[in-house]
Amino acid sequence: CLVDVRPERNSTCMETGSYLLNFKGCAKCGKRLPIKIVDKKEEDVEDEKGNISETITYKHVCAECKHVIATHYYNFEADDDAQEYVMMCLLCGRGEHTSQLFHLTNSIDE
């Protein structure tokens, strides 16, 4: 089905969609029809400190024969200091990115 298995995508982290440049065609039926996204699940969690986590999973399937091409995993986490994104998928690849948050203070020295 794939040109490359889990290609390195550096800081690219997709929470939805499909990396069509990596799709050769369905291994089961041979068609190269648009890929469908099914069984999408989202889980949002906020802990007692206000840190948040969002996890999204879904399956990429062949539109013709419903063969499962890959399972997509995306995770976003944020706390007071950073935001972290992670994507793992045989079709879309592996990517991760961390953004440090800078806090501005409104203090005036007198």
Side-chain angles (χ1 to χ4, degrees):
C1 291
L2 310 174
V3 175
D4 292 315
V5 175
R6 197 180 298 116
E8 181 58 48
R9 300 293 302 280
N10 300 313
S11 62
T12 299
C13 297
M14 302 182 318
E15 61 186 273
T16 190
S18 303
Y19 184 39
L20 296 178
L21 292 176
N22 194 35
F23 181 57
K24 286 196 298 190
C26 178
K28 187 174 177 184
C29 72
K31 304 279 186 189
R32 194 170 191 286
L33 297 172
I35 296 171
K36 287 192 172 191
I37 292 174
V38 299
D39 296 334
K40 187 172 182 177
K41 296 179 179 95
E42 292 187 40
E43 180 182 4
D44 296 320
V45 176
E46 183 173 349
D47 68 16
E48 64 280 350
K49 295 180 184 177
N51 300 331
I52 60 169
S53 173
E54 174 187 46
T55 301
I56 298 172
T57 58
Y58 56 87
K59 293 177 183 173
H60 300 281
V61 299
C62 173
E64 179 73 17
C65 70
K66 311 299 184 252
H67 168 72
V68 177
I69 298 160
T71 299
H72 191 97
Y73 170 85
Y74 167 86
N75 183 259
F76 168 76
E77 293 185 11
D79 59 26
D80 288 340
D81 300 316
Q83 295 178 337
E84 182 174 283
Y85 305 83
V86 175
M87 175 185 71
M88 293 288 284
C89 178
L90 293 178
L91 173 65
C92 299
R94 179 186 185 285
E96 60 183 283
H97 178 75
T98 301
S99 297
Q100 298 298 318
L101 302 177
F102 298 97
H103 303 282
L104 299 175
T105 59
N106 292 331
S107 61
I108 299 174
D109 294 325
E110 291 184 22

